[in-house]
Amino acid sequence: MVKHTLAKLVVTGGALAGAGIAGAGVAAADLGPLLDTSCTYSQAEAAIKAVSPDGGQGFSASPMMQTWLHAFLDAPVEQRQKLIDSAPEVRQYTDVIVAMANTCENYPAG
């Protein structure tokens, strides 16, 4: 398992916009599915591509976004909110990621 530093995660959060994963933002109460997801990275990646084809293309082209998502999914549930809070840019684009969390269990784990 690769460990990622918090500083890298904060920098990576800004990559979401460049990856084409944009939205109106999500209220803190709506983050439950994202914070509690037990999906694997491969499930999350497939779900992102399905819920947002444009965002999926941007995701595939963004090593920084891929790093952030790996680190987020590797983090214990109780630390995930801190990862989002430490990278405010992430909160601006959580609508696609929350949609991913709501559907990722429909994809095979890899």
Side-chain angles (χ1 to χ4, degrees):
M1 180 182 308
V2 177
K3 296 291 180 188
H4 304 281
T5 66
L6 186 56
K8 284 183 183 177
L9 293 176
V10 171
V11 170
T12 301
L16 288 169
I21 299 176
V26 176
D30 296 337
L31 294 176
L34 176 60
L35 296 173
D36 295 331
T37 188
S38 60
C39 290
T40 66
Y41 178 82
S42 62
Q43 287 174 306
E45 182 179 32
I48 286 173
K49 290 177 181 178
V51 299
S52 176
D54 290 339
Q57 286 180 338
F59 175 82
S60 294
S62 174
M64 289 175 34
M65 180 58 200
Q66 293 170 21
T67 298
W68 184 87
L69 186 58
H70 267 292
F72 181 84
L73 294 172
D74 288 346
V77 171
E78 61 274 3
Q79 291 182 2
R80 290 178 177 178
Q81 182 67 53
K82 292 177 187 175
L83 294 175
I84 292 170
D85 291 344
S86 69
E89 300 87 358
V90 173
R91 289 185 76 67
Q92 296 177 43
Y93 306 105
T94 55
D95 58 337
V96 171
I97 300 172
V98 169
M100 170 276 302
N102 285 322
T103 62
C104 60
E105 290 182 3
N106 296 331
Y107 299 91

